Amino acid sequence: MQLTDTVLMVLPNTFGFDEETAKTNTFQEPIFDRKVVQTAREEVLGLSRTLEGAGVRVLLYEDTDRDPLPNAVFPNNWLITTNDGYCLCPMATPSRRRERKESILAFLKKSHSMGAETDLSKLEVKGQFLEGTGSLVLDRKNRVAYAAVSARTSVDAAKEWCNLMDYRLQSFVADGPGGLPVYHTNILLTISESLVVVALELLDCKEDGRVALKELEQTGREIIDISTQQMTRFAGNVLGLRSITGEELIAMSKTAEQAFTPEQMDRIKHHARVVSADINTVETVGGGSVRCTLCEIFSPRIS
């Protein structure tokens, strides 16, 4: 099953510019304003209401921790769920490792049978990192994991996850603006039920990227090619979901929605209903968009 109808979101108690993650994420802007936390909370609440209105189940965890967690709003980076279990992921920066909370897992276990735990956080001591579905964009139907290698995505860690989960790895190098590797794969690539959104120019310039592109083409999904400029406006950071009635959806920010051309948007709407919300503060200060705020829950619901 490629799409889920259930997502975890975290309503942050603390949010702000993170100097540690900014070293590898050029999307972050150093804005220091006392209103940032409240605005981010309002944006998360607005997105959750929009998704619920479209028929998505939103498990909204309200963080009450006073320990500064500037990126807690992005739970998909430390947690991956499958039908059989869940994985705790190795995070590249100390500031993000504190986001892995037993209280969040306990919150999820109230409504879902989470299955067996796989803990890869031990790889952090080896300097191997794999930041969840930021690092891995999963073709769950064909069991292929795509990974853009960066300071946050180690090939060895990706191979270990794939070996444990019986996936095949397609890793590649994709350099973004300024010549730095794109910090997360899900910034440049989205795989939904029947379409792919991808910055082709970043894959088509190196052999490993061309191999990954050929693999994507062979899935039979329609490919929406976005430019690097569109990528910087989070057009690649969108997520395919389904409603509880089975309707195919694609969630994105208003920034991303406005980045697509009318022709691209028509093609997307041929496959899925677009669901969008304004999360400009989260994007600008945190450097991640709608996809990053949504941790897909594939674990079975407790009846």
Side-chain angles (χ1 to χ4, degrees):
M1 186 169 61
Q2 182 66 30
L3 307 181
T4 182
D5 60 11
T6 306
V7 295
L8 166 71
M9 297 183 68
V10 174
L11 184 62
N13 188 44
T14 58
F15 173 80
F17 180 75
D18 186 342
E19 292 184 0
E20 289 184 8
T21 57
K23 293 176 183 178
T24 54
N25 183 350
T26 58
F27 291 76
Q28 293 176 231
E29 294 185 22
I31 297 174
F32 303 96
D33 188 317
R34 284 179 292 182
K35 296 181 180 179
V36 160
V37 176
Q38 183 58 36
T39 304
R41 285 174 60 89
E42 292 170 358
E43 290 176 355
V44 169
L45 286 170
L47 174 58
S48 68
R49 286 193 291 265
T50 298
L51 291 171
E52 288 176 331
V56 177
R57 293 187 179 93
V58 177
L59 307 174
L60 185 62
Y61 176 87
E62 183 165 6
D63 187 18
T64 58
D65 199 329
R66 294 186 178 182
D67 182 28
L69 296 172
N71 297 287
V73 71
F74 304 132
N76 79 305
N77 294 148
W78 65 266
L79 179 65
I80 302 176
T81 76
T82 67
N83 293 332
D84 303 316
Y86 62 95
C87 179
L88 304 178
C89 300
M91 307 295 287
T93 56
S95 65
R96 299 217 60 190
R97 294 167 192 169
R98 300 191 300 273
E99 295 172 30
R100 291 188 300 256
K101 291 186 177 183
E102 184 58 42
S103 59
I104 295 181
L105 296 175
F107 170 74
L108 293 174
K109 289 174 182 177
K110 290 179 181 179
S111 58
H112 287 73
S113 177
M114 295 298 289
E117 178 182 284
T118 300
D119 188 356
L120 294 185
S121 63
K122 62 183 182 296
L123 295 178
E124 289 166 354
V125 299
K126 298 181 180 180
Q128 296 177 11
F129 311 118
L130 190 73
E131 296 194 336
T133 50
S135 292
L136 296 176
V137 172
L138 302 176
D139 181 349
R140 295 179 185 257
K141 291 174 64 175
N142 297 300
R143 302 192 77 81
V144 179
Y146 294 84
V149 181
S150 71
R152 303 193 191 190
T153 305
S154 307
V155 171
D156 288 342
K159 286 180 178 177
E160 181 157 351
W161 187 91
C162 287
N163 288 338
L164 290 169
M165 304 299 168
D166 192 28
Y167 270 66
R168 184 161 47 84
L169 178 64
Q170 285 287 358
S171 62
F172 54 92
V173 175
D175 294 333
L180 291 174
V182 176
Y183 78 98
H184 275 160
T185 315
N186 71 4
I187 289 294
L188 65 94
L189 173 63
T190 296
I191 300 174
S192 190
E193 181 71 28
S194 54
L195 64 86
V196 170
V197 179
V198 60
L200 288 182
E201 62 185 306
L202 299 187
L203 268 68
D204 201 30
C205 59
K206 296 182 180 179
E207 181 58 30
D208 55 3
R210 287 190 287 270
V211 171
L213 176 56
K214 184 176 181 180
E215 181 91 39
L216 289 167
E217 292 171 339
Q218 290 175 344
T219 67
R221 296 177 172 96
E222 181 173 5
I223 293 179
I224 309 294
D225 176 20
I226 59 172
S227 66
T228 301
Q229 184 179 21
Q230 288 176 305
M231 182 192 74
T232 64
R233 296 177 63 194
F234 298 106
N237 197 235
V238 301
L239 179 64
L241 296 167
R242 63 183 175 90
S243 71
I244 56 176
T245 60
E247 181 183 14
E248 186 174 348
L249 310 170
I250 189 156
M252 64 182 68
S253 69
K254 290 293 185 182
T255 303
E257 185 177 27
Q258 293 165 7
F260 287 107
T261 67
E263 186 270 339
Q264 288 172 327
M265 190 56 67
D266 286 343
R267 290 170 63 193
I268 291 170
K269 290 179 178 178
H270 177 74
H271 295 272
R273 178 154 65 100
V274 173
V275 180
S276 65
D278 182 359
I279 60 164
N280 182 66
T281 297
V282 171
E283 290 175 322
T284 303
V285 181
S289 191
V290 163
R291 197 279 166 264
C292 295
T293 67
L294 305 178
C295 178
E296 300 152 284
I297 304 300
F298 284 90
S299 306
R301 284 172 58 85
I302 298 173
S303 58

